Structures are given as C-alpha cells and as structure tokens.
Amino acid sequence: MLLRVEKGSFYYTSDTPILQDITLSLEKGEVIAVMGPNGIGKTTFLKCLMGIYKWKSGHSLIDGKDTGNARKQIGYVPQAHRFSFPYSVRDMVVFGRAKYLPAFASPGEKDYAFADRALEEVGISAIRDKSCNQLSGGQLQMVLLARALVGEPQLLILDEPESHLDFGNQITILKIIKRLAKEKGIACVMNTHYPNHALNIADKTLLLKGNKFLVGKTDQILTKENIREYFGVDSIIVTAQKDDREINAFVLTDLI
Ligand SMILES: Nc1ncnc2c1ncn2[C@@H]1O[C@H](COP(=O)(O)OP(=O)(O)OP(=O)(O)O)[C@@H](O)[C@H]1O
C-alpha cells in the first residue's frame, strides 16, 4: 500500500467540521477520484494530504511516512489559473526539480534533461521556448502537469485537472493521467466534478457529503442511487461496447 489515510479529520472552525474520519488506502498505480458537491471539502482534502493543512486528528502516510513530510514523493498539479510569469515553459517545468537542488543552486543539464522528458511525456515539447504568459489555459495545465512530473513523484495530486479545458483537451489530460498510473506506477488522487471521468479512469472513488463519505471501487460508489443522494440529480447508467470492452456512462435524466 502506498497511501494510507487513517481517520483524517479537519475543520477550519471547530463548530463546522469539514472532513470526518476519512479512511482510505491507495496502491501504486491506482487512481482515486474525489467527488462531492461544491464547497464540501475536496480541495481541503488535497491540502491536508500535502500537509498544507495539518489534520486535526488522524493522519495520512505515504510508504509509512507522514505525507506532510514527503515533499519528494508527492507532485501537485494545481488548477491552471492564469498568472503573470515571465518564464519560458522549459524554465517553469525545471522548477519542479527544485526540491532536489541545494539551496540557491541553479538547475543543471541533468535537470533540463528531466524537464525535456516531462515535456515530451505530456506532449508539449513544441512550446518549450514559449513564455508562460502566452499560453492558453489548456497548455498551462499541461505545463503544470509536466512540472509535477519532473519531481519524479510516487503520488500525484491533481485539483480538477480537466476544468477549464475543452472537450478534446479533457480527454488528452485524462489519458495522460491513466498512462502515468498504469505505465509508471504513479498513484493519483484527482478531484473532479465529472462522474463519467471517474468511471473512465479511477479505480476508486471517494464521495464526500456533509460529515459523511463513501469510498471504494468506482463502479460500486458511483451508482445512480448515490449520485441521487450526494448530488440530488437523477441519472441512468448506459453501457456501450467498444471493441471487446464495455464502457459505462452516466446520462443525467433531469433535463429530459
Ligand atoms: N482557508 C479557509 N478558511 C475557512 N474556510 C475555508 C477555507 N478554505 C475553504 N473553506 C471552506 O471550507 C469548505 C470546503 O472548501 P473546499 O474548497 O475544500 O471545497 P471544494 O469541495 O473543493 O469546493 P469546490 O467544488 O467548489 O471547488 C467551504 O465551505 C469553504 O468555504
């Protein structure tokens, strides 16, 4: 087991609990989707995992070590908000090596080689000399993913990686996440608002609502009954055949 969260609880003010007794585990190469209504605590959960916020009780461990002290093992991909950064894409990505460098040292050839490999891995080598100020939201999201990858993480934490992306780029980033998990054995924790994305790439799902949660295999957690209970919408699950595989997808029926 790579990641273990044991009875993790968190609140900003003690009269309003946000996360209560969250317990889950994740193996190498597994993807877990974190889902739930707006403002329920998904980003807070990621921040507790990264040690930005300290669990009020309980703990989270990566390979037996507190996740808050595991900077080298964890890569973080924030949401791609526009920012003003006069760096080239390549320089932005090489920043992901900073945790391996002595204080104030500049990245060397080896670090740039890592950066070039990560750019290739996410398919953006062609824009490596562009300024980050000139990127689209989708390109910026890929740059942030490449920056996390150069740190050679065992655990990748992604905050709504497909938000702000067009339909095609959403699929591109989901395919990359799936490949990184299955081919490189990186465990991924990913917040998402899209149940179909979770059905497609997540082995497990954590569903949050109020002070309760469900966690388990995605197809057992994302049922139409739970979608009704946790999001208040009606849906049906349809199954399609692609080659020799069955693919399930939610169709929301409230609009029909
Ligand atoms: N720094 C903070 N101080 C106090 N309350 C906060 C802070 N950050 C978030 N909250 C509150 O904690 C709750 C959970 O917020 P969080 O951002 O984790 O939700 P979320 O599930 O990620 O939401 P969304 O789906 O809208 O992104 C919300 O009610 C939010 O207002």
Side-chain angles (χ1 to χ4, degrees):
M1 175 204 329
L2 180 71
L3 173 70
R4 176 80 183 156
V5 182
E6 189 86 41
K7 287 182 167 282
S9 299
F10 185 81
Y11 53 79
Y12 291 100
T13 48
S14 57
D15 56 345
T16 316
I18 303 282
L19 304 165
Q20 275 205 307
D21 289 336
I22 305 283
T23 295
L24 60 85
S25 54
L26 199 63
E27 305 290 339
K28 210 168 165 274
E30 278 188 329
V31 178
I32 186 166
V34 181
M35 298 198 64
N38 285 128
I40 207 68
K42 300 180 294 298
T43 301
T44 303
F45 175 70
L46 300 190
K47 288 181 174 172
C48 288
L49 279 187
M50 286 183 297
I52 294 174
Y53 298 138
K54 200 169 164 356
W55 294 108
K56 298 295 182 187
S57 61
H59 54 248
S60 48
L61 304 172
I62 176 165
D63 263 349
K65 177 176 171 185
D66 194 295
T67 55
N69 298 323
R71 233 176 109 233
K72 285 192 178 160
Q73 282 102 321
I74 298 179
Y76 175 52
V77 184
Q79 288 187 33
H81 294 299
R82 291 297 173 86
F83 57 86
S84 181
F85 245 152
Y87 298 109
S88 73
V89 164
R90 194 168 183 243
D91 283 336
M92 183 70 179
V93 171
V94 92
F95 279 140
R97 295 292 299 168
K99 58 191 175 186
Y100 293 106
L101 301 176
F104 308 115
S106 303
E109 249 176 61
K110 185 177 146 222
D111 302 301
Y112 278 102
F114 268 105
D116 290 339
R117 236 184 352 261
L119 288 166
E120 211 168 291
E121 201 142 32
V122 302
I124 54 168
S125 300
I127 58 164
R128 73 173 207 170
D129 297 320
K130 245 187 157 175
S131 160
C132 284
N133 287 338
Q134 298 167 354
L135 302 181
S136 72
Q139 289 171 325
L140 188 54
Q141 189 70 76
M142 298 300 181
V143 172
L144 296 176
L145 178 56
R147 187 183 63 171
L149 285 180
V150 291
E152 300 186 286
Q154 288 175 270
L155 176 69
L156 201 52
I157 295 181
L158 306 109
D159 197 357
E160 297 180 28
E162 73 288 56
S163 62
H164 313 302
L165 300 188
D166 72 41
F167 194 53
N169 277 323
Q170 288 185 4
I171 304 304
T172 302
I173 200 154
L174 292 172
K175 275 166 73 177
I176 293 171
I177 294 167
K178 194 170 176 177
R179 179 163 48 79
L180 291 171
K182 301 307 161 216
E183 290 177 11
K184 298 188 90 173
I186 299 175
C188 300
V189 180
M190 173 183 122
N191 282 0
T192 182
H193 285 297
Y194 300 96
N196 283 333
H197 293 177
L199 275 182
N200 283 332
I201 73 159
D203 305 282
K204 293 179 176 170
T205 291
L206 168 67
L207 196 48
L208 298 171
K209 187 183 180 188
N211 298 332
K212 57 183 187 173
F213 69 94
L214 291 173
V215 68
K217 282 182 178 296
T218 294
D219 56 358
Q220 288 165 14
I221 298 298
L222 291 185
T223 60
K224 60 183 190 212
E225 291 79 13
N226 288 337
I227 292 286
R228 168 85 227 157
E229 186 185 342
Y230 278 69
F231 295 95
V233 295
D234 288 320
S235 61
I236 50 175
I237 298 179
V238 295
T239 303
Q241 194 81 23
K242 167 95 167 52
D243 304 326
D244 57 346
R245 288 194 48 216
E246 282 193 343
I247 302 163
N248 293 325
F250 279 98
V251 176
L252 302 180
T253 53
D254 279 332
L255 294 174
I256 299 171

